[in-house]
Amino acid sequence: KNQVEQSPQSLIILEGKNCTLQCNYTVSPFSNLRWYKQDTGRGPVSLTIMTFSENTKSNGRYTATLDADTKQSSLHITASQLSDSASYICVVSDRGSTLGRLYFGRGTQLTVWP
Amino acid sequence: EADIYQTPRYLVIGTGKKITLECSQTMGHDKMYWYQQDPGMELHLIHYSYGVNSTEKGDLSSESTVSRIRTEHFPLTLESARPSHTSQYLCASSDPGLAESSYNEQFFGPGTRLTVL
């Protein structure tokens, strides 16, 4: 069964601190993995995308890693800001369907305190 | 920023009412999707479309229906709303593109928060 598991479920950090969010998946055949940021009451917005051959991708203070062998990914946030408070969702796409089916994790709810 | 719009953003209605959630995109994307999301839960695909006059049901069973008469427009309709339909509904669109990294890139609208009393 194709699944995406994220941890922790929620996280509280102080402004300026770093944090790392984890994602494990069992989706096969694998196509790509994305991290989305979803602000409360809004739609998800893509932060990074990685294919099988990529093991790291950065977008400003966000750095994602991918280990396709162990089927694990992480999202590292550096020097957190209050605006980083949001849900971060790991999304894996399979290669096996013309639809391009996406498998969503439940997200990690990040709260940044001043 | 993606050009995909949803209206209304918030809707509170009584049981038994017929409602239509609007979704429009100006990117010319062929594929469009409707997702349902409850708080703290993952997004569930309820409908999708490959293009005009193409609609399919998704993974999660839904009493809603959709239509795709124009490329840019993908409305979702509930004929008789019930409290169990209370949820956030997200519309998305995608275009395969030429590069593998852009394949299946889905752009999401802001969502409609539906509450049925």
Side-chain angles (χ1 to χ4, degrees):
Chain A
K1 181 181 179 182
N2 290 322
Q3 285 186 310
V4 178
E5 301 287 343
Q6 291 188 244
S7 62
Q9 182 177 344
S10 62
L11 182 63
I12 299 174
I13 61 173
L14 294 177
E15 186 178 14
K17 297 297 185 182
N18 304 334
C19 66
T20 301
L21 314 180
Q22 301 290 344
C23 173
N24 298 329
Y25 63 92
T26 60
V27 177
S28 181
F30 174 84
S31 176
N32 56 69
L33 184 147
R34 293 183 180 85
W35 283 93
Y36 280 89
K37 178 186 180 185
Q38 185 176 22
D39 292 313
T40 301
R42 308 288 298 183
V45 175
S46 181
L47 293 174
T48 64
I49 177 173
M50 289 178 291
T51 60
F52 186 88
S53 59
E54 298 173 298
N55 55 25
T56 187
K57 182 71 69 74
S58 291
N59 178 3
R61 295 180 296 102
Y62 302 102
T63 300
T65 64
L66 173 65
D67 186 333
D69 292 330
T70 62
K71 299 186 176 181
Q72 295 180 325
S73 176
S74 67
L75 179 69
H76 186 75
I77 304 175
T78 304
S80 61
Q81 300 175 358
L82 299 179
S83 59
D84 292 333
S85 295
S87 178
Y88 291 83
I89 304 172
C90 178
V91 184
V92 181
S93 177
D94 72 8
R95 194 193 298 270
S97 67
T98 56
L99 172 64
R101 184 64 55 86
L102 298 184
Y103 297 88
F104 293 82
R106 293 186 176 186
T108 292
Q109 184 65 48
L110 175 66
T111 303
V112 180
W113 283 2
Chain B
E1 191 163 319
D3 296 320
I4 182 164
Y5 310 97
Q6 291 186 243
T7 57
R9 293 293 317 283
Y10 304 93
L11 181 61
V12 180
I13 61 167
T15 297
K17 299 293 185 183
K18 176 181 179 180
I19 62 166
T20 297
L21 308 185
E22 303 287 349
C23 175
S24 296
Q25 49 97 4
T26 59
M27 297 172 284
H29 288 170
D30 288 327
K31 295 180 181 177
M32 295 190 73
Y33 315 79
W34 275 104
Y35 292 90
Q36 187 173 338
Q37 184 184 30
D38 293 319
M41 301 296 288
E42 64 266 48
L43 277 71
H44 290 286
L45 182 67
I46 52 175
H47 297 283
Y48 60 95
S49 168
Y50 285 112
V52 172
N53 295 325
S54 156
T55 61
E56 302 287 345
K57 289 189 178 295
D59 302 321
L60 183 66
S61 176
S62 174
E63 294 167 344
S64 58
T65 59
V66 292
S67 62
R68 191 86 183 276
I69 299 174
R70 302 197 316 265
T71 298
E72 63 271 22
H73 196 211
F74 192 39
L76 179 146
T77 298
L78 276 167
E79 290 293 333
S80 180
R82 296 205 299 270
S84 61
H85 296 139
T86 295
S87 188
Q88 179 165 8
Y89 293 84
L90 290 162
C91 180
S93 70
S94 71
D95 187 85
L98 297 176
E100 182 183 359
S101 62
S102 66
Y103 186 65
N104 301 338
E105 178 72 51
Q106 292 190 17
F107 298 91
F108 287 85
T112 294
R113 168 66 64 182
L114 173 64
T115 302
V116 184
L117 304 177

